[in-house]
Structure formats: structure tokens, C-alpha cells
């Protein structure tokens, strides 16, 4: 019979080994931050954003008909074929507060509903646009790339950059590089996971 205490200790030991192995990798990432290799932060943020939101959504679209619920209590959801569903991400074109506010305002003005994610076994709130066309209603799921907004604070607090002046050429280049890195990382992950034309992904740049 396996001793549960020894078994638990073994699991903890493996966890400690895994954590120890991760330390050099994390250190390398933070070293790139210290060297101010622009784009590094956004790649990390984009990976988390993709697997927490986009990957489950694309997986649900790929299953077949996507069901849109007005609320969790809705018993008659609208159904959309995969070819009638697309995803757009609102992205600030500048990492400045005024751009963030415009993105938030556009996002908040959209319709709100729920989709059920089979992979997570739960409802997920979305914002969306709906176009009624002769060939079939077109559903566009619209999300706000809030993770990229945190890059501004990271540059201020960790890298001690003055981000208040948009005329600062160094900060301007950092902004463009971080935004581009975020978008490219998301696109690469999407193409790798769901590269076909069925799942359409686009960006709305707002500044």
C-alpha cells in the first residue's frame, strides 16, 4: 500500500524541482526587461490572453454552431454557423490613458451576452455586434485587449520610464514595439491552433 504521506512528499518534491527549473527561465525574461528589449513584456501577456480567452472561444466556434445566450437563464439561444462568426480585438494604438478610455468607451457600448464554453463547462460573458444579412446573421465577438494596457505601468514602475510625454521618441518606439508584439503573438498562436479561414480574427486599433 502506498503511504499517502510519502506520496504527498514526493509530489511536493517534484513541484520544488519544477519551480527550481523555472527560475533561470524567469530570470532570463526579467533580464530582457532590464535591458529594455521592447516587445518582451507583451509576448508574455499575449500568451496568457490567448489561452485564457481566445483559445476557448475559437474551440467553441470550431465545434459547430455557436450559441449566443441573452443571459444564463435564456432557454432559446441564437445559433450561428462557424462561417458566420468572427472575432475582433480592440487594441489601443498608443499606451496612454486617453487611448485606453476611448477603447473602454467603444467596448462598453456593445451588446452584451453569454456563450457556453464546453471546454470550461461554464458560461462566458462576451460583448458583440450583430449584422442581419440575407446570407445569414453575422456575429462578431468583440473583446478589449486590457492586458496590453498594463505595459504602461510596467515601464513606469519597473523600468522607470517617463511615459507621460508622447513626444518622447524612446517611449514612442517602445509603445509601437509592444503593441506590435502583442498582436503578432496572438496571430501566431491563432494560426497554429486554428489556422483555417473559418475562425476570423482581426484587430480594431483605437488611439
Amino acid at each position: 500500500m502506498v503511504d499517502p504521506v510519502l506520496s504527498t512528499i514526493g509530489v511536493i518534491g517534484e513541484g520544488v524541482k519544477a519551480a527550481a527549473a523555472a527560475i533561470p527561465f524567469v530570470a532570463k525574461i526579467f533580464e530582457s526587461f532590464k535591458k529594455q528589449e521592447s516587445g518582451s513584456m507583451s509576448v508574455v501577456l499575449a500568451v496568457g490572453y490567448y489561452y485564457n480567452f481566445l483559445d476557448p472561444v475559437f474551440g467553441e466556434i470550431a465545434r459547430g454552431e455557436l450559441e449566443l445566450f441573452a443571459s444564463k437563464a435564456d432557454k432559446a439561444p441564437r445559433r450561428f454557423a462557424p462561417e458566420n462568426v468572427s472575432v475582433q480585438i480592440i487594441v489601443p494604438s498608443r499606451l496612454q490613458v486617453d487611448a485606453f478610455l476611448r477603447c473602454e468607451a467603444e467596448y462598453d457600448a456593445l451588446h452584451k451576452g453569454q456563450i457556453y464554453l464546453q471546454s470550461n463547462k461554464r458560461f462566458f460573458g462576451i460583448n458583440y455586434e450583430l449584422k442581419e444579412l440575407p446570407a445569414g446573421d453575422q456575429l462578431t465577438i468583440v473583446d478589449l485587449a486590457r492586458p496590453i494596457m498594463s505595459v504602461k505601468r510596467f515601464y513606469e514602475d519597473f523600468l522607470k520610464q517617463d511615459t507621460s510625454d508622447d513626444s518622447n521618441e524612446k517611449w514612442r518606439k517602445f509603445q509601437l514595439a509592444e503593441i506590435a508584439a502583442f498582436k503578432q503573438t496572438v496571430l501566431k498562436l491563432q494560426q497554429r491552433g486554428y489556422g483555417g479561414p473559418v475562425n476570423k480574427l482581426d484587430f480594431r486599433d483605437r488611439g
Side-chain angles (χ1 to χ4, degrees):
M1 180 177 178
V2 178
D3 189 315
V5 175
L6 292 177
S7 177
T8 301
I9 292 174
V11 171
I12 293 174
E14 290 301 316
V16 171
K17 289 180 183 178
I23 289 174
F25 175 71
V26 174
K28 186 180 294 185
I29 291 176
F30 271 82
E31 190 59 34
S32 72
F33 294 155
K34 289 179 181 179
K35 293 177 182 177
Q36 297 189 14
E37 296 174 1
S38 57
S40 303
M41 184 62 179
S42 290
V43 170
V44 176
L45 292 171
V47 170
Y49 174 73
Y50 178 83
Y51 284 110
N52 281 315
F53 172 67
L54 290 174
D55 188 56
V57 170
F58 282 130
E60 199 60 36
I61 295 171
R63 289 177 186 275
E65 285 192 328
L66 181 74
E67 294 184 328
L68 174 65
F69 298 80
S71 69
K72 293 179 182 179
D74 186 2
K75 301 301 182 183
R78 299 187 67 167
R79 292 177 171 83
F80 299 86
E83 60 268 23
N84 292 333
V85 182
S86 62
V87 178
Q88 293 186 354
I89 304 171
I90 300 174
V91 180
S93 58
R94 297 179 301 114
L95 300 180
Q96 296 293 11
V97 174
D98 60 330
F100 298 165
L101 291 175
R102 279 192 283 273
C103 290
E104 291 277 5
E106 180 173 337
Y107 181 68
D108 290 341
L110 297 164
H111 299 295
K112 294 171 175 58
Q114 302 272 338
I115 59 175
Y116 187 78
L117 300 177
Q118 295 290 340
S119 57
N120 296 357
K121 302 301 180 186
R122 68 181 181 91
F123 281 95
F124 195 92
I126 62 165
N127 287 25
Y128 68 92
E129 290 179 335
L130 191 61
K131 291 183 179 178
E132 296 183 0
L133 301 174
D137 293 348
Q138 301 289 316
L139 174 68
T140 302
I141 298 172
V142 184
D143 196 51
L144 176 57
R146 286 196 178 94
I148 189 66
M149 298 178 183
S150 65
V151 171
K152 176 179 168 66
R153 282 292 303 274
F154 180 81
Y155 271 80
E156 292 169 349
D157 297 344
F158 189 78
L159 299 180
K160 307 304 179 185
Q161 278 286 322
D162 179 7
T163 68
S164 62
D165 185 6
D166 245 356
S167 65
N168 182 326
E169 184 65 17
K170 188 175 184 180
W171 169 233
R172 191 184 69 81
K173 289 180 178 179
F174 280 151
Q175 292 179 72
L176 295 175
E178 293 288 357
I179 293 167
F182 183 89
K183 291 160 70 173
Q184 285 301 311
T185 301
V186 168
L187 285 173
K188 290 291 184 184
L189 290 169
Q190 190 263 347
Q191 291 165 2
R192 179 171 178 168
Y194 305 95
V198 170
N199 299 310
K200 298 175 285 293
L201 175 63
D202 199 5
F203 298 96
R204 296 184 181 183
D205 298 300
R206 298 291 184 265

